[in-house]
């Protein structure tokens, strides 16, 4: 998979209903500042009665994008994905639309059972895959382990940028809605996200965080983003452009973490102390590599740690 399709480049993935007529401006003319990736949605964001208009809009959009792509410069576009309603629609899109300007498909309600159908239609294409985990099976750790093992060994693995956690669909399965003044981690989704990270991240899959639908509550959004990052999630679904800047700001790497990551990857010491914590390259190396990959995309935020403390490190004595 080329560098353009790195999961760290997803950032705040903005979902836009295919009915919108300003998607080309968002992609070509920077109408949404800071946009790194977007999903043109033909599923939940479009009513059944509006599907013909949404598909007509998509056809026109693709013609515009393909013409612009031919003229060059598309490497500077945000990543562009389409979310079909189901496998049948995915097949129709691949067969009847020119998807040359599209990076991939978001696969709704992805399961082991649907994998063969998705792969059969997508294998001959250039399209990357972002499966969405949002069905009843997601709450079953055994079924998730089996899904992870299946996908890990499947030829589709090299096409998967990240797995998307469908928070609202999963809450719907258990007849709940996110509490207004709580993060998603304060709901049953807290356990679910932790379980998915344990199952999939351990097998080197990237996962993205669910949307925070409380658009005007920045405090809850900041709390949730901190937890997203603590769980190693590589991006977050956004439903409004106002969320993009905050998501990307919070994905910046602290100067302290950046300094620790550099030392962990370059130190000859088996263990050392830095900023009041133990650093052990043998067990922190993967974390450090992810920190540097994130910093390369989002940059380094200057925190309150002083330079003298930030770069001081002591040998970690066995009796510490």
């Amino acid at each position: 998979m080329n560098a353009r399709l790195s999961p760290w480049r997803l950032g705040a993935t903005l979902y836009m209903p295919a009915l919108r007529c300003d998607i080309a401006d968002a992609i070509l003319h920077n109408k949404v500042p800071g946009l790194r990736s977007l999903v043109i949605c033909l599923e939940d964001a479009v009513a059944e009665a509006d599907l013909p208009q949404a598909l007509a809009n998509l056809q026109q959009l693709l013609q515009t994008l393909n013409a612009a792509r031919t003229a060059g410069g598309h490497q500077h576009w945000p990543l562009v994905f389409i979310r079909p309603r189901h496998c049948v629609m995915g097949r129709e899109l691949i067969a009847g639309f020119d998807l040359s300007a599209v990076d991939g498909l978001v696969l709704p309600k992805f399961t082991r059972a649907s994998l063969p159908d998705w792969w059969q239609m997508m294998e001959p294409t250039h399209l990357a895959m972002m499966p969405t985990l949002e069905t009843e099976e997601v709450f079953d750790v055994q079924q998730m382990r089996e899904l992870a093992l299946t996908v890990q060994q499947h030829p589709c693995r090299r096409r998967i940028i990240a797995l998307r956690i469908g928070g609202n669909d999963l809450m719907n399965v258990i007849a709940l809605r996110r509490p207004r003044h709580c993060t998603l981690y304060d709901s049953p989704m807290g356990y679910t996200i932790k379980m998915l990270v344990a199952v999939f991240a351990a097998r080197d899959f990237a996962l993205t965080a669910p949307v925070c639908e409380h658009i005007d509550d920045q405090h809850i959004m900041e709390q949730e983003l901190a937890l997203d990052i603590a769980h190693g999630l590589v991006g977050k679904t956004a439903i409004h452009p106002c969320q993009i800047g905050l998501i990307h700001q919070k994905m910046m790497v602290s100067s302290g973490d950046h300094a620790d990551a550099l030392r962990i990857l370059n130190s000859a010491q088996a263990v050392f102390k830095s900023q009041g914590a133990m650093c052990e390259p043998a067990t922190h190396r993967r974390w450090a590599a992810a920190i540097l990959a994130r910093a390369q995309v989002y940059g380094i935020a200057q925190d309150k740690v002083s330079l003298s403390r930030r770069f001081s490190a002591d040998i970690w004595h066995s009796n510490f």
Side-chain angles (χ1 to χ4, degrees), residues 53-257:
Q53 182 59 53
L55 290 168
N57 280 6
L58 177 62
Q59 185 76 273
Q60 185 174 4
L61 169 66
L62 291 172
Q63 291 171 2
T64 301
L65 295 182
N66 288 329
R69 183 176 181 273
T70 301
H74 64 281
Q75 289 298 321
H76 301 292
W77 294 359
L79 296 171
V80 179
F81 301 89
I82 298 174
R83 176 171 168 152
R85 225 169 177 82
H86 37 57
C87 284
V88 173
M89 181 180 284
R91 195 179 304 277
E92 291 170 350
L93 291 175
I94 290 171
F97 290 66
D98 183 353
L99 303 181
S100 302
V102 175
D103 291 289
L105 298 185
V106 171
L107 314 183
K109 297 174 177 56
F110 184 78
T111 64
R112 286 178 71 204
S114 67
L115 171 58
D117 288 336
W118 285 115
W119 182 240
Q120 182 184 41
M121 72 181 78
M122 295 186 69
E123 181 182 12
T125 75
H126 71 283
L127 298 168
M129 305 166 68
M130 283 206 292
T132 306
L133 305 175
E134 54 186 352
T135 61
E136 182 180 351
E137 294 93 330
V138 175
F139 293 105
D140 186 329
V141 63
Q142 180 61 37
Q143 292 198 54
M144 289 301 95
R145 187 181 297 115
E146 292 173 359
L147 176 62
L149 288 171
T150 299
V151 175
Q152 186 179 33
Q153 298 165 7
H154 194 278
C156 75
R157 175 66 186 92
R158 67 183 183 276
R159 298 273 196 95
I160 294 178
I161 300 178
L163 301 167
R164 307 196 68 81
I165 302 173
N168 283 342
D169 280 271
L170 288 170
M171 290 288 276
N172 181 54
V173 168
I174 52 178
L176 291 177
R177 183 186 181 189
R178 165 207 292 270
R180 183 168 294 278
H181 301 296
C182 299
T183 72
L184 202 57
Y185 293 86
D186 298 313
S187 74
M189 282 303 300
Y191 152 78
T192 308
I193 293 172
K194 294 176 192 298
M195 179 267 287
L196 292 174
V197 168
V199 170
F200 286 96
R203 293 170 174 85
D204 211 27
F205 288 94
L207 295 112
T208 67
V211 69
C212 180
E213 70 264 38
H214 298 319
I215 300 167
D216 296 330
D217 194 332
Q218 182 169 321
H219 176 65
I220 288 295
M221 182 73 159
E222 289 180 344
Q223 286 185 307
E224 190 161 296
L225 282 165
L227 290 166
D228 292 338
I229 292 167
H231 285 76
L233 305 182
V234 302
K236 190 172 185 67
T237 297
I239 53 171
H240 194 280
C242 71
Q243 297 178 321
I244 292 173
L246 180 59
I247 292 172
H248 291 167
Q249 177 190 340
K250 294 302 180 182
M251 292 189 72
M252 295 177 74
V253 171
S254 73
S255 57
D257 279 352

